[in-house]
mmCIF file of all heavy atoms in Angstrom:
data_model
loop_
_atom_site.group_PDB
_atom_site.id
_atom_site.type_symbol
_atom_site.label_atom_id
_atom_site.label_comp_id
_atom_site.label_asym_id
_atom_site.label_seq_id
_atom_site.Cartn_x
_atom_site.Cartn_y
_atom_site.Cartn_z
ATOM 1 N N PRO A 107 48.459 103.191 -4.444
ATOM 2 C CA PRO A 107 49.919 103.265 -4.228
ATOM 3 C C PRO A 107 50.496 101.866 -4.044
ATOM 4 O O PRO A 107 49.830 100.965 -3.544
ATOM 5 C CB PRO A 107 50.045 104.090 -2.942
ATOM 6 C CG PRO A 107 48.747 104.805 -2.808
ATOM 7 C CD PRO A 107 47.705 103.904 -3.411
ATOM 8 N N LYS A 108 51.739 101.690 -4.460
ATOM 9 C CA LYS A 108 52.413 100.416 -4.254
ATOM 10 C C LYS A 108 53.006 100.372 -2.845
ATOM 11 O O LYS A 108 53.331 101.400 -2.264
ATOM 12 C CB LYS A 108 53.527 100.233 -5.292
ATOM 13 C CG LYS A 108 53.032 100.142 -6.722
ATOM 14 C CD LYS A 108 54.210 99.960 -7.686
ATOM 15 C CE LYS A 108 53.725 99.874 -9.127
ATOM 16 N NZ LYS A 108 54.854 99.712 -10.072
ATOM 17 N N LEU A 109 53.138 99.161 -2.303
ATOM 18 C CA LEU A 109 53.792 99.032 -1.007
ATOM 19 C C LEU A 109 55.223 99.547 -1.106
ATOM 20 O O LEU A 109 55.953 99.214 -2.043
ATOM 21 C CB LEU A 109 53.804 97.570 -0.559
ATOM 22 C CG LEU A 109 52.484 96.991 -0.053
ATOM 23 C CD1 LEU A 109 52.664 95.523 0.273
ATOM 24 C CD2 LEU A 109 51.982 97.747 1.156
ATOM 25 N N PHE A 110 55.606 100.358 -0.137
ATOM 26 C CA PHE A 110 56.954 100.919 -0.121
ATOM 27 C C PHE A 110 57.747 100.256 0.997
ATOM 28 O O PHE A 110 57.374 100.317 2.155
ATOM 29 C CB PHE A 110 56.916 102.433 0.096
ATOM 30 C CG PHE A 110 58.275 103.047 0.240
ATOM 31 C CD1 PHE A 110 59.192 102.992 -0.796
ATOM 32 C CD2 PHE A 110 58.656 103.666 1.428
ATOM 33 C CE1 PHE A 110 60.455 103.535 -0.650
ATOM 34 C CE2 PHE A 110 59.913 104.222 1.573
ATOM 35 C CZ PHE A 110 60.819 104.154 0.525
ATOM 36 N N LYS A 111 58.876 99.613 0.635
ATOM 37 C CA LYS A 111 59.675 98.857 1.596
ATOM 38 C C LYS A 111 60.948 99.580 2.021
ATOM 39 O O LYS A 111 61.743 99.032 2.773
ATOM 40 C CB LYS A 111 60.034 97.490 1.008
ATOM 41 C CG LYS A 111 58.806 96.635 0.686
ATOM 42 C CD LYS A 111 59.211 95.272 0.149
ATOM 43 C CE LYS A 111 57.975 94.427 -0.159
ATOM 44 N NZ LYS A 111 58.355 93.087 -0.668
ATOM 45 N N GLY A 112 61.138 100.809 1.527
ATOM 46 C CA GLY A 112 62.294 101.582 1.966
ATOM 47 C C GLY A 112 63.581 101.242 1.255
ATOM 48 O O GLY A 112 64.658 101.474 1.810
ATOM 49 N N THR A 113 63.501 100.702 0.030
ATOM 50 C CA THR A 113 64.715 100.272 -0.662
ATOM 51 C C THR A 113 65.091 101.141 -1.854
ATOM 52 O O THR A 113 66.184 100.982 -2.393
ATOM 53 C CB THR A 113 64.557 98.820 -1.158
ATOM 54 O OG1 THR A 113 63.407 98.751 -2.029
ATOM 55 C CG2 THR A 113 64.367 97.866 0.011
ATOM 56 N N ASN A 114 64.204 102.058 -2.260
ATOM 57 C CA ASN A 114 64.461 102.808 -3.485
ATOM 58 C C ASN A 114 64.002 104.256 -3.323
ATOM 59 O O ASN A 114 62.836 104.501 -3.050
ATOM 60 C CB ASN A 114 63.724 102.139 -4.656
ATOM 61 C CG ASN A 114 64.063 102.756 -5.985
ATOM 62 O OD1 ASN A 114 63.719 103.910 -6.239
ATOM 63 N ND2 ASN A 114 64.714 101.988 -6.846
ATOM 64 N N PRO A 115 64.892 105.246 -3.492
ATOM 65 C CA PRO A 115 64.509 106.662 -3.329
ATOM 66 C C PRO A 115 63.410 107.092 -4.292
ATOM 67 O O PRO A 115 62.509 107.848 -3.909
ATOM 68 C CB PRO A 115 65.819 107.411 -3.603
ATOM 69 C CG PRO A 115 66.889 106.423 -3.315
ATOM 70 C CD PRO A 115 66.346 105.104 -3.727
ATOM 71 N N GLU A 116 63.470 106.591 -5.543
ATOM 72 C CA GLU A 116 62.443 106.971 -6.516
ATOM 73 C C GLU A 116 61.071 106.456 -6.099
ATOM 74 O O GLU A 116 60.055 107.133 -6.293
ATOM 75 C CB GLU A 116 62.809 106.430 -7.904
ATOM 76 C CG GLU A 116 63.967 107.147 -8.589
ATOM 77 C CD GLU A 116 65.314 106.787 -7.988
ATOM 78 O OE1 GLU A 116 65.427 105.723 -7.343
ATOM 79 O OE2 GLU A 116 66.269 107.585 -8.160
ATOM 80 N N GLU A 117 61.031 105.248 -5.515
ATOM 81 C CA GLU A 117 59.754 104.703 -5.059
ATOM 82 C C GLU A 117 59.205 105.512 -3.890
ATOM 83 O O GLU A 117 57.989 105.674 -3.749
ATOM 84 C CB GLU A 117 59.925 103.242 -4.659
ATOM 85 C CG GLU A 117 60.175 102.314 -5.833
ATOM 86 C CD GLU A 117 60.338 100.863 -5.399
ATOM 87 O OE1 GLU A 117 60.261 100.600 -4.169
ATOM 88 O OE2 GLU A 117 60.540 100.003 -6.272
ATOM 89 N N CYS A 118 60.093 106.018 -3.040
ATOM 90 C CA CYS A 118 59.663 106.868 -1.928
ATOM 91 C C CYS A 118 59.004 108.143 -2.466
ATOM 92 O O CYS A 118 57.921 108.536 -2.019
ATOM 93 C CB CYS A 118 60.858 107.221 -1.046
ATOM 94 S SG CYS A 118 60.463 108.355 0.305
ATOM 95 N N GLU A 119 59.650 108.779 -3.431
ATOM 96 C CA GLU A 119 59.096 110.005 -4.001
ATOM 97 C C GLU A 119 57.785 109.735 -4.726
ATOM 98 O O GLU A 119 56.845 110.543 -4.663
ATOM 99 C CB GLU A 119 60.120 110.621 -4.949
ATOM 100 C CG GLU A 119 61.377 111.098 -4.220
ATOM 101 C CD GLU A 119 62.558 111.300 -5.147
ATOM 102 O OE1 GLU A 119 62.376 111.215 -6.386
ATOM 103 O OE2 GLU A 119 63.665 111.559 -4.643
ATOM 104 N N ALA A 120 57.708 108.573 -5.408
ATOM 105 C CA ALA A 120 56.465 108.209 -6.088
ATOM 106 C C ALA A 120 55.339 107.980 -5.086
ATOM 107 O O ALA A 120 54.181 108.358 -5.333
ATOM 108 C CB ALA A 120 56.683 106.955 -6.933
ATOM 109 N N LEU A 121 55.660 107.353 -3.941
ATOM 110 C CA LEU A 121 54.647 107.129 -2.907
ATOM 111 C C LEU A 121 54.098 108.453 -2.390
ATOM 112 O O LEU A 121 52.878 108.637 -2.294
ATOM 113 C CB LEU A 121 55.245 106.334 -1.745
ATOM 114 C CG LEU A 121 54.331 106.172 -0.514
ATOM 115 C CD1 LEU A 121 53.157 105.267 -0.835
ATOM 116 C CD2 LEU A 121 55.106 105.618 0.680
ATOM 117 N N VAL A 122 54.978 109.397 -2.074
ATOM 118 C CA VAL A 122 54.544 110.699 -1.558
ATOM 119 C C VAL A 122 53.651 111.400 -2.572
ATOM 120 O O VAL A 122 52.601 111.950 -2.219
ATOM 121 C CB VAL A 122 55.768 111.567 -1.207
ATOM 122 C CG1 VAL A 122 55.336 112.997 -0.910
ATOM 123 C CG2 VAL A 122 56.511 110.987 -0.021
#
Side-chain angles (χ1 to χ4, degrees):
K108 296 180 180 179
L109 285 177
F110 175 62
K111 299 182 180 181
T113 58
N114 187 293
E116 287 74 21
E117 290 180 0
C118 176
E119 294 162 8
L121 173 69
V122 170

